[in-house]
Amino acid sequence: MNAQIRKIYIVVFLMVISLAMAATYIQFFAAPTLNADERNARTILHAAERDRGPIIVSGTAIAQSISIPDSLRYERTYPGKETYASVTGWFSSSLRSSTGLEAAAENVLEGDAPSLWAQRIQNLLTGKERQGGGIVLTINPAVQQAAEQAIGGRKGAAVALNPHTGAVLALYSSPSYDPNTLAQSDSTAALETYQNLEQDPSRPLINRAVAGDRYPPGSVFKLITAAAMLESGEYTPDTQVEGPASITLPGTETQLPNITRLPCGNGEPPLKEAFARSCNTSFALAAIDIGEEHMRERAEAFGFGQSLDIPLPVTPSVFPDSLNDARMGLVGVGQDDVAVTPMQMAMVGAAIANDGVLMKPYLIESVVNADLEPQQTTSAQQLGVPIQEKTAAQLREMMTDVVSQPYGTGRSVAMSTPVAAKTGTAETGTQGRTVAWMVAFPATDDPQVAVAVAIEGDDLNPYVSGGADAGPVARAMIEAVLSNG
């Protein structure tokens, strides 16, 4: 072989190798990033011709693709309908859009995830059309259904976590919607449905459990105030605290009363009694005493201000800035500009239930291939240790009194199994409406669930309370776990 032919041969060989490497890189490494790019409309359009993988709960598909007769296209269907819409979201090739897990787990459902490389190679070698992978969720269907039924169409949300692992057992936002109406191949009908849902004043497309506008937490924030008090070393559950019927916030003429308009107990109750009675004045004065720095430190330790993907994006909860004493008093009882998601408050309850250790919430238990064979499993991950084990034990005792004591505000969640809880009734500043809260978990040695429930007041019932309105929802969810192991 002469020198010129040899040079041409080497150049051609290098070109072939370069093309092979480029193709390999694009198909196996860059594909997930390219497909996830929101500017890539081809992903949605092309996906209509791909057998997108299922979303599975307890062995049953709550989202799947079916072949359209006499067509190469597929249509997404949702057997789980309204029950799981806040989890699945929706995928629509006709609307060129996706939300919820359909968007967050796009690379898996489309078959482009790194964990599905063996499936892609097998399809390439056998000539099969590319298939999507599936995701198996941590959701407990009994708990999810209990949340849906107990909320009963009211505006609100409920979250249940396994305190020891962070697995999301339920995530429900109400009112819900049927994703099938958005996934249909009739683009005109799908668009009309979407516009109607967008214009609906109850905002069913908003996921109130993890996003939305967030809520004022009201008295469930006293979990964090109490944690800061106990962590300071200056308080124990038996420490006597001030509990007048009302206080004047420092530097203002604004009165902050107890909800009963009466002194807390005898006016100087032990902390655990003030907590069980949910006395505003006691916790406002304590927050002022502890100060902004230590209160903020405790809130952030529980996850406030942190971005979180489960993989649904969770809107960070807010602890306000630049607080004077008057605002600090309001923050201590979960008012002012404190804003939280039900997911955040479920995390607070779960950390207390788990001896002070906060685990990262997650929705996807495992990734499976087209044959439903596991390819990747999620491992539990610790987010932090917001409180000491001793503090967690003290808080659990105080939360148990909320349910068991005759003056406790959480008696609506009482059941044969002891329950630890904290109620909340948060003022929204809108037409006298409130948000009802309940954070609760079984007061056992090994609690398997921690729940947070938020119910919004509406035109028919503007004033809702934690015990009367959120409590029964929390109880139904806990009972679902206890009944189903």
Side-chain angles (χ1 to χ4, degrees):
M1 182 183 295
N2 62 39
Q4 289 183 330
I5 294 176
R6 185 182 299 108
K7 289 179 181 179
I8 293 173
Y9 175 81
I10 292 173
V11 170
V12 171
F13 177 76
L14 292 175
M15 290 174 64
V16 170
I17 293 297
S18 297
L19 287 171
M21 292 177 64
T24 300
Y25 172 76
I26 292 172
Q27 291 187 31
F28 293 97
F29 297 100
T33 301
L34 295 173
N35 284 321
D37 194 314
E38 61 183 11
R39 298 168 296 178
N40 187 3
R42 289 174 58 87
T43 299
I44 297 293
L45 295 174
H46 179 65
E49 299 177 355
R50 184 177 298 176
D51 187 3
R52 190 175 174 90
I55 300 176
I56 302 168
V57 168
S58 192
T60 300
I62 60 171
Q64 60 189 358
S65 293
I66 60 171
S67 177
I68 300 175
D70 303 320
S71 170
L72 297 176
R73 296 166 64 86
Y74 290 86
E75 183 174 277
R76 201 67 168 159
T77 64
Y78 297 90
K81 297 185 178 180
E82 292 89 345
T83 304
Y84 294 100
S86 51
V87 177
T88 62
W90 49 274
F91 170 89
S92 174
S93 58
S94 59
L95 295 179
R96 304 183 184 183
S97 187
S98 60
T99 65
L101 281 178
E102 291 281 23
E106 181 91 54
N107 64 338
V108 173
L109 299 173
E110 285 294 298
D112 295 321
S115 58
L116 297 172
W117 65 270
Q119 176 178 293
R120 291 196 296 275
I121 291 177
Q122 181 180 0
N123 289 344
L124 186 65
L125 295 176
T126 60
K128 285 185 179 180
E129 292 292 331
R130 179 176 289 188
Q131 298 169 287
I135 51 176
V136 177
L137 304 188
T138 58
I139 294 291
N140 181 322
V143 186
Q144 184 79 3
Q145 291 162 17
E148 178 185 31
Q149 293 168 9
I151 290 177
R154 293 172 292 175
K155 296 179 185 176
V159 174
L161 301 175
N162 182 320
H164 308 302
T165 65
V168 180
L169 304 180
L171 192 151
Y172 184 73
S173 177
S174 178
S176 189
Y177 62 94
D178 185 354
N180 292 292
T181 60
L182 295 165
Q184 59 185 306
S185 55
D186 185 335
S187 59
T188 301
L191 179 59
E192 182 180 357
T193 299
Y194 175 76
Q195 291 172 337
N196 289 337
L197 290 170
E198 271 282 283
Q199 294 166 9
D200 188 332
S202 66
R203 303 192 302 167
L205 294 179
I206 296 295
N207 193 334
R208 291 168 161 88
V210 295
D213 297 329
R214 293 166 296 200
Y215 295 110
S219 290
V220 287
F221 190 81
K222 291 172 185 172
L223 288 167
I224 294 174
T225 306
M229 294 169 71
L230 295 170
E231 286 282 304
S232 72
E234 298 177 8
Y235 296 85
T236 72
D238 295 315
T239 300
Q240 286 187 303
V241 295
E242 295 181 68
S246 178
I247 63 170
T248 302
L249 294 173
T252 75
E253 297 180 358
T254 302
Q255 291 292 306
L256 176 65
N258 292 324
I259 195 168
T260 62
R261 309 285 172 171
L262 297 172
C264 186
N266 64 1
E268 292 187 355
L271 172 59
K272 61 184 180 182
E273 182 179 340
F275 185 85
R277 292 181 182 273
S278 199
C279 298
N280 289 332
T281 56
S282 300
F283 286 90
L285 291 170
I288 294 170
D289 175 53
I290 293 169
E292 178 180 350
E293 180 182 352
H294 295 297
M295 285 288 290
R296 181 185 305 282
E297 179 184 2
R298 199 56 46 214
E300 291 178 350
F302 276 108
F304 276 65
Q306 295 184 25
S307 296
L308 186 65
D309 293 312
I310 63 173
L312 295 180
V314 180
T315 304
S317 294
V318 175
F319 186 94
D321 295 318
S322 304
L323 299 172
N324 57 27
D325 283 349
R327 293 184 64 198
M328 195 68 248
L330 291 173
V331 166
V333 297
Q335 295 290 169
D336 194 69
D337 292 330
V338 183
V340 301
T341 61
M343 174 59 74
Q344 173 64 76
M345 294 316 301
M347 291 166 60
V348 172
I352 296 169
N354 193 37
D355 297 328
V357 178
L358 176 61
M359 304 302 291
K360 180 181 179 181
Y362 65 96
L363 263 169
I364 298 177
E365 180 179 290
S366 61
V367 172
V368 297
N369 62 17
D371 296 320
L372 303 184
E373 298 169 335
Q375 304 297 299
Q376 181 180 350
T377 301
T378 303
S379 298
Q381 180 180 343
Q382 182 177 307
L383 269 185
V385 184
I387 51 176
Q388 301 174 69
E389 183 176 351
K390 177 183 177 181
T391 301
Q394 292 172 325
L395 284 170
R396 286 196 299 272
E397 178 186 348
M398 291 163 61
M399 293 174 72
T400 303
D401 284 351
V402 171
V403 181
S404 63
Q405 291 297 331
Y407 48 74
T409 59
R411 286 169 291 172
S412 61
V413 295
M415 59 185 76
S416 57
T417 299
V419 177
K422 183 69 193 80
T423 60
T425 301
E427 297 179 0
T428 64
T430 303
Q431 301 174 338
R433 294 186 180 182
T434 59
V435 177
W437 280 97
M438 179 69 79
V439 174
F441 53 85
T444 60
D445 293 336
D446 185 27
Q448 295 299 303
V449 63
V451 305
V453 178
I455 302 293
E456 302 177 32
D458 55 25
D459 290 339
L460 294 176
N461 188 17
Y463 185 88
V464 289
S465 67
D469 295 278
V473 181
R475 173 175 173 161
M477 295 171 71
I478 292 172
E479 286 180 333
V481 173
L482 297 178
S483 299
N484 291 273

